[in-house]
Amino acid sequence: MKKIFNLLLSAAMVMALLAGCGSGGTTTPAPASEADSAPASAPTEQASSVSGTVTASGSSALQPLAQAAADAFNSANPDCSVTVNGGGSGTGLKNVSEGSVDIGNSDVFAEEKLDASAASGLVDHEVCTITMAPIVNKDLGVANLTKQQLIDIFSAKTTNWKDVGGPDLAILLVTRPTSSGTRALFKTWALDGAEEASNQSLETDDSGTLLQTVESNKGAIGYVALSYLVNNADVQTVSIDGVAPTLENTYSGTYPVWGYEHMYTKGDGSEVAQAFIKYMMSDEFAPSIESMGYGASSKMGTQAVSSHNK
């Protein structure tokens, strides 16, 4: 009897153990089920493209590069629209200061075009450098001028090409309006601050128009950004004191007529404006800068930078 009781007790213990294991098997899937449901309640965030609009105006010298960047940026961000207009640096700075555009493009520092209170509200983004070149008609036969000769020509003290080694031909000045950053930069670094004879010149802030005017008039002289001269053999660039207007000479500091290209925002600017400016300054877009005739700020030599410190 005792033996039977022990057998029954052993059987009961085995059944209890099996029941416990079965219970554990049914409760184990519950945590697994919760783990499986986690991605649905907290999905991994995917990087989304930028959306919104950006308007920029100002420098005609920077416009080709800004437009190329806008085209690429818009293509990569279908829900974003970046519009780039010209109008001159002064116009761009005024527009961004007043809030009518998101970005004001300028060849010069804001303090040179705006009063101190307006300029203080803007944030400067130096995206590249720009070199300005004097240009003449390719049939003129003049490829070099001293800085003093250049000053005398643009101030209308010299009015005939024969006085600077050219043919007996009247000089036709093609210049920029006072709102132009290109004009301000050229005045500072090519003319040593001398005023242009605006009343004795043709005036345009459209670089394409200026190029066509110089190309079609043998006695004409003007100046444009180097970016407008890439693959352009229709006009002749003019060296200053024997130094040609090239990126290499700009980097070394031997050619003096250059400046930084600025993109100004009011305060930090909108998120989409910040994204566009960041793209323009990115490694991805960098190859376009030199290929389009602009300079990389990182390549400016010590001599060049020190001569242009504010």
Side-chain angles (χ1 to χ4, degrees):
M1 190 70 180
K2 184 177 180 181
K3 186 180 291 185
I4 294 172
F5 176 78
N6 287 338
L7 288 172
L8 291 172
L9 180 63
S10 297
M13 291 177 65
V14 169
M15 291 298 293
L17 181 61
L18 290 173
C21 291
S23 174
T26 58
T27 57
T28 300
S33 177
E34 290 170 7
D36 291 342
S37 66
S41 60
T44 303
E45 292 185 4
Q46 299 293 325
S48 58
S49 60
V50 178
S51 63
T53 61
V54 178
T55 54
S57 69
S59 167
S60 61
L62 183 56
Q63 190 173 359
L65 185 68
Q67 186 61 60
D71 292 342
F73 189 79
N74 289 341
S75 178
N77 300 277
D79 295 327
C80 182
S81 174
V82 179
T83 303
V84 179
N85 295 308
S89 297
T91 297
L93 290 169
K94 182 174 182 290
N95 288 347
V96 72
S97 177
E98 294 174 345
S100 59
V101 300
D102 300 295
I103 298 172
N105 297 329
S106 178
D107 307 326
V108 296
F109 291 97
E111 294 83 355
E112 297 179 42
K113 290 291 183 180
L114 301 176
D115 60 47
S117 61
S120 65
L122 302 181
V123 174
D124 186 8
H125 310 269
E126 294 179 351
V127 294
C128 62
T129 64
I130 191 72
T131 299
M132 302 298 177
I135 57 170
V136 296
N137 186 282
K138 64 180 181 180
D139 296 326
L140 180 65
V142 174
N144 181 70
L145 293 168
T146 67
K147 179 176 278 191
Q148 189 57 54
Q149 287 175 330
L150 202 63
I151 292 170
D152 290 344
I153 287 172
F154 278 93
S155 60
K157 292 179 181 178
T158 299
T159 59
N160 195 298
W161 284 109
K162 68 180 181 180
D163 297 325
V164 291
D168 185 3
L169 183 66
I171 295 174
L172 174 64
L173 295 177
V174 189
T175 62
R176 307 292 185 122
T178 55
S179 63
S180 168
T182 300
R183 173 173 174 155
L185 193 153
F186 193 78
K187 172 185 174 181
T188 299
W189 301 108
L191 305 181
D192 286 348
E195 292 291 345
E196 295 179 16
S198 297
N199 61 335
Q200 299 184 49
S201 67
L202 299 178
E203 196 172 274
T204 178
D205 199 39
D206 185 290
S207 294
T209 300
L210 191 149
L211 283 166
Q212 291 174 3
T213 302
V214 172
E215 181 185 347
S216 59
N217 291 273
K218 187 177 179 180
I221 183 172
Y223 48 88
V224 294
L226 207 60
S227 53
Y228 280 91
L229 299 173
V230 175
N231 300 322
N232 187 329
D234 296 329
V235 294
Q236 169 70 52
T237 59
V238 178
S239 299
I240 302 176
D241 292 322
V243 181
T246 65
L247 282 179
E248 291 73 18
N249 290 337
T250 302
Y251 289 151
S252 70
T254 55
Y255 185 79
V257 192
W258 67 274
Y260 291 104
E261 284 294 357
H262 311 263
M263 299 184 83
Y264 280 95
T265 55
K266 191 169 186 177
D268 292 331
S270 68
E271 183 178 347
V272 65
Q274 291 179 41
F276 174 57
I277 293 172
K278 183 178 179 180
Y279 173 73
M280 275 201 68
M281 301 173 72
S282 69
D283 291 340
E284 180 182 354
F285 188 67
S288 298
I289 291 178
E290 286 189 325
S291 68
M292 293 183 66
Y294 298 84
S297 300
S298 60
K299 291 188 177 182
M300 299 305 299
T302 303
Q303 179 182 339
V305 173
S306 61
S307 69
H308 279 59
N309 282 339
K310 291 201 294 179

